[in-house]
């Protein structure tokens, strides 16, 4: 009887063919980056637009089921969505190694589409938590782990800028999908909007999955040999150093501080746990702000349309932040920029968001917060590459999702 691994390995791997990647590497790389951008646009962009749904669920369920409790049960939907998102980054990270990037992305698209389409038939909070919360969150996490890590396998230089461009797709997605969601709700009601978005997301991610492929090993080996030959011809490089470079295989697969080849090796390192704690806290705060911006805006006397506009501006600001800070990270170091952006996000919350009582101040905060907070997510795979190398990047980033499940589950409720 065949083992589960043998069965999984026999599944078709959807994506760019190996022969096309080898014969047309530049075209293949461009397709991968473009597909990753669209995947981030549809997946994480939809999550960044969830504040529109949160507003609707608050209005519909806050007084219906909560009784004497001061916490709206509708919060559970977003909380389940985000925590499941991070949980499935861990699961999908291992799945990528088994069935390929393309099929993993396709599975994520099916889950994301089913989650939203199914939510269109729901009438209770627990049903929405299972569909838009669990299923859609699982889809976003599965898609995210592929599109946020696969582009680095094609490039060894300017990775910060490249990842910033790809991750800016979530900001563009939030900027476009937030007002689109509001339009669909106003025109077709909440249930109709969910069904329409479910179809769009499923079809869109299916197309994206066709553009997912890692660089062929033969092409990587060829580039490694060219790098070693080029370095060996330089007078300033000793024979000993060339030998060391040859052993290290100066490729995109092993240019980090150290190349950790096992999950156990990553989990035993202090660097992983330092990074894990920082990411846990940063991501929890990031989604709390994005989810509750429209609700908070209404709470200080603004309209629902103004709340949607503020959320859209915050998502739009992440576009600039992710590209710009990614480029700066290439020059100043990934770990350094991760620390600096954490600090600036914290200061913006203390000095802009807390005292905000008007549309103007909220808009300034949305721009500032989006500019710096948006770069936190793309910095995660970059920091992982810096600390542990390219090998097993999807799995390593997925491991960070375990801790984030706890903080992102609790953060919306605490807020």
């Amino acid at each position: 009887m065949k083992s589960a691994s043998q069965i999984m390995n026999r599944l078709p791997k959807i994506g760019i063919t190996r022969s096309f990647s080898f014969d047309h590497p530049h075209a293949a790389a461009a397709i991968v980056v473009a597909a990753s951008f669209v995947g981030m646009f549809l997946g994480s962009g939809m999550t960044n637009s969830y504040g529109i749904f949160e507003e609707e669920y608050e209005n519909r369920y806050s007084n219906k089921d909560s009784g004497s409790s001061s916490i709206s049960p509708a919060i559970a939907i977003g909380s389940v969505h985000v925590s499941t998102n991070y949980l499935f980054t861990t699961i999908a990270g291992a799945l990528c190694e088994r069935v390929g990037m393309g099929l993993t992305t396709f599975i994520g698209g099916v889950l994301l589409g089913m989650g939203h389409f199914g939510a269109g038939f729901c009438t209770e909070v627990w049903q929405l938590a299972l569909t838009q919360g669990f299923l859609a969150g699982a889809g976003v996490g599965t898609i995210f782990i592929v599109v946020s890590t696969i582009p680095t396998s094609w490039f060894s230089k300017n990775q910060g800028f490249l990842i910033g461009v790809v991750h800016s797709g979530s900001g563009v997605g939030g900027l476009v999908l937030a007002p689109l969601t509001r339009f669909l709700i106003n025109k077709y009601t909440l249930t109709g909007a969910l069904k329409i978005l479910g179809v769009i997301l499923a079809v869109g991610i299916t197309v994206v999955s066709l553009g997912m492929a890692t660089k062929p090993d033969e092409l990587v080996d060829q580039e490694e040999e060219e790098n070693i030959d080029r370095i060996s011809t330089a007078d300033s490089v000793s024979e000993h150093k060339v030998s060391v470079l040859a052993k290290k295989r100066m490729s995109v697969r092993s240019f980090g501080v150290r190349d950790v080849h096992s999950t156990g090796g990553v989990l035993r390192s202090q660097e992983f746990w330092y990074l894990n704690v920082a990411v846990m806290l940063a991501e929890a705060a990031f989604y709390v702000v994005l989810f509750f911006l429209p609700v908070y805006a209404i709470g200080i006397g603004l309209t629902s349309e103004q709340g949607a506009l503020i959320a859209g501006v915050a998502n739009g600001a992440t576009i600039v932040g992710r590209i710009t800070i990614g480029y700066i990270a290439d020059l100043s170091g990934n770990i350094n920029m991760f620390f600096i952006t954490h600090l600036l996000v914290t200061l913006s919350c203390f000095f802009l968001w807390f005292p905000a009582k008007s549309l103007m101040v909220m808009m300034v905060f949305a721009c500032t917060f989006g500019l710096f907070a948006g770069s936190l997510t793309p910095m995660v795979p970059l920091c992982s590459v810096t600390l542990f190398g390219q090998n097993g990047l999807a799995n390593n980033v997925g491991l960070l999702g375990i801790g984030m499940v706890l903080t992102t589950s609790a953060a919306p409720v605490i807020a």
Side-chain angles (χ1 to χ4, degrees):
M1 186 172 180
K2 296 181 180 179
S3 64
S5 61
Q6 290 175 322
I7 296 175
M8 295 297 286
N9 287 332
R10 286 181 175 274
L11 291 174
K13 293 178 173 57
I14 303 173
I16 302 171
T17 63
R18 180 176 294 273
S19 60
F20 178 83
S21 299
F22 189 81
D23 296 336
H24 309 281
H26 298 296
I31 292 173
V32 169
V33 172
S36 298
F37 177 89
V38 176
M40 194 69 73
F41 174 94
L42 294 173
S44 296
M46 200 68 244
T47 298
N48 291 348
S49 305
Y50 178 77
I52 306 301
F53 291 108
E54 178 67 28
E55 177 191 339
E56 291 293 321
Y57 297 147
E58 288 283 342
N59 293 334
R60 178 172 295 194
Y61 298 109
S62 60
N63 297 323
K64 178 179 178 181
D65 300 319
S66 60
S68 60
S69 175
S70 59
I71 300 177
S72 170
I75 294 176
I77 305 168
S79 180
V80 170
H81 179 92
V82 177
S83 59
T84 306
N85 180 343
Y86 288 118
L87 174 63
F88 269 76
T89 61
T90 304
I91 298 173
L95 186 62
C96 289
E97 306 294 331
R98 306 291 294 275
V99 303
M101 296 292 198
L103 185 55
T104 301
T105 306
F106 174 75
I107 293 172
V110 171
L111 292 172
L112 180 61
M114 288 177 57
H116 283 83
F117 191 82
F121 297 93
C122 297
T123 58
E124 301 293 337
V125 171
W126 69 267
Q127 296 170 344
L128 289 167
L130 287 177
T131 52
Q132 193 175 10
F134 183 82
L135 284 178
V140 172
T142 302
I143 296 164
F144 174 84
I145 200 64
V146 178
V147 300
S148 66
T149 59
I150 192 172
T152 61
S153 69
W154 288 89
F155 300 88
S156 58
K157 296 180 180 180
N158 301 319
Q159 287 192 328
F161 175 75
L162 174 69
I163 291 297
V165 170
V166 170
H167 278 259
S168 69
S170 65
V172 177
L175 185 64
V176 174
L177 295 177
L180 174 62
T181 299
R182 170 54 59 194
F183 169 79
L184 292 175
I185 291 174
N186 291 340
K187 187 173 181 62
Y188 301 105
T189 73
L190 176 61
T191 57
L194 285 166
K195 294 173 185 177
I196 293 172
L197 288 171
V199 173
I200 293 174
L201 294 170
V203 174
I205 297 300
T206 298
V207 175
V208 166
S209 69
L210 300 177
M212 295 289 101
T214 55
K215 182 182 290 187
D217 291 339
E218 299 89 345
L219 189 59
V220 173
D221 292 338
Q222 177 181 320
E223 293 180 356
E224 290 171 351
E225 296 299 335
E226 291 175 355
N227 286 335
I228 294 172
D229 291 341
R230 183 171 58 255
I231 293 174
S232 64
T233 59
D235 296 335
S236 59
V237 180
S238 65
E239 293 183 1
H240 172 71
K241 187 173 182 179
V242 172
S243 177
V244 171
L245 294 175
K247 291 179 180 179
K248 289 184 68 176
R249 309 286 292 180
M250 287 187 61
S251 69
V252 295
R253 293 180 294 180
S254 59
F255 71 90
V257 172
R258 55 180 177 173
D259 206 22
V260 181
H261 297 274
S262 67
T263 298
V266 173
L267 293 176
R268 286 192 298 269
S269 66
Q270 290 182 339
E271 293 90 342
F272 171 80
W273 293 106
Y274 292 147
L275 180 61
N276 191 30
V277 172
V279 172
M280 285 168 58
L281 298 176
E283 291 294 320
F286 178 62
Y287 280 108
V288 164
V289 175
L290 281 184
F291 280 9
F292 288 98
L293 268 180
V295 177
Y296 182 85
I298 294 175
I300 62 174
L302 302 179
T303 66
S304 60
E305 288 75 16
Q306 289 174 324
L309 176 61
I310 292 170
V313 168
N315 280 292
T318 64
I319 303 171
V320 179
R322 286 171 173 171
I323 297 175
T324 303
I325 293 178
Y327 176 77
I328 297 174
D330 287 328
L331 303 176
S332 61
N334 297 324
I335 304 298
N336 295 334
M337 285 308 300
F338 192 55
F339 170 78
I340 292 172
T341 50
H342 269 75
L343 177 61
L344 294 175
V345 168
T346 303
L347 293 176
S348 70
C349 289
F350 272 101
F351 293 104
L352 290 175
W353 189 25
F354 293 168
K357 299 297 179 183
S358 66
L359 176 61
M360 182 61 67
V361 178
M362 285 296 295
M363 293 290 282
V364 173
F365 168 71
C367 291
T368 306
F369 178 83
L371 183 65
F372 298 114
S375 65
L376 296 176
T377 301
M379 290 304 299
V380 174
L382 292 173
C383 290
S384 181
V385 169
T386 299
L387 295 173
F388 309 115
Q390 183 69 37
N391 278 335
L393 177 59
N395 185 59
N396 294 342
V397 175
L399 291 174
L400 295 170
I402 299 175
M404 287 186 283
V405 172
L406 302 176
T407 54
T408 53
S409 299
V413 178
I414 295 174

